[in-house]
Amino acid sequence: MSMSLEDMRKIGMLLLYNGNYLSKQLISANWIAQSKSPFKHVEAGSHGAYGYGYQLWTFESSDSDNPIDFYFASGLFGQYIFIVPKLEVVAAVKSQLPHDQQDLPRQFFEEFLHCLKNSEYKNT
């Protein structure tokens, strides 16, 4: 599947707003809730745990004071759609990275959220 960044953003917005897009319920909110809930935890990191839902990866923060959880779609060559419900953020990434570098956009996004959490956002 090939999509523009704008199309990827639209899918992210559809997920962020629980299947609702432009005031129309296009996908069941229940299905969206299930798809972004991990049915399997796959890896624990220093800042939280990764899981996998229905074609979406999840990240649950281990920070009890100010957790920022997110979920994302991941495609070939480093294509990503990140959704951060707490911040109402959707970010889309298109790239053509070699196999051993395809997780770089995810690492960058996680570092961005970590820095954001430890700066201005920490006081809100």
Side-chain angles (χ1 to χ4, degrees):
M1 178 184 305
S2 178
M3 288 187 267
S4 68
L5 278 172
E6 179 62 16
D7 290 339
M8 293 169 71
R9 182 195 65 82
K10 288 176 184 177
I11 289 174
M13 297 300 289
L14 182 68
L15 292 167
L16 177 65
Y17 294 116
N18 300 310
N20 191 299
Y21 188 75
L22 298 176
S23 301
K24 293 181 183 177
Q25 193 69 38
L26 301 179
I27 299 174
S28 160
N30 184 46
W31 188 88
I32 297 290
Q34 290 179 20
S35 69
K36 62 184 181 181
S37 298
F39 68 84
K40 180 178 181 176
H41 285 92
V42 294
E43 180 183 342
S46 60
H47 299 293
Y50 293 94
Y52 192 69
Y54 300 164
Q55 300 296 313
L56 293 174
W57 292 93
T58 63
F59 178 80
E60 295 174 339
S61 175
S62 59
D63 183 346
S64 59
D65 294 331
N66 191 17
I68 299 180
D69 299 339
F70 64 95
Y71 54 98
F72 59 98
S74 174
L76 191 60
F77 303 121
Q79 317 296 322
Y80 287 92
I81 303 170
F82 297 102
I83 300 97
V84 188
K86 183 176 184 175
L87 303 177
E88 293 190 45
V89 166
V90 170
V93 176
K94 287 189 71 140
S95 62
Q96 289 290 322
L97 295 169
H99 180 70
D100 62 340
Q101 297 176 5
Q102 290 180 20
D103 65 340
L104 290 177
R106 180 188 51 81
Q107 291 174 7
F108 175 82
F109 189 75
E110 288 175 7
E111 188 61 28
F112 168 74
L113 287 180
H114 184 70
C115 290
L116 180 66
K117 182 172 70 170
N118 290 326
S119 64
E120 293 177 25
Y121 182 70
K122 187 174 185 176
N123 298 320
T124 61

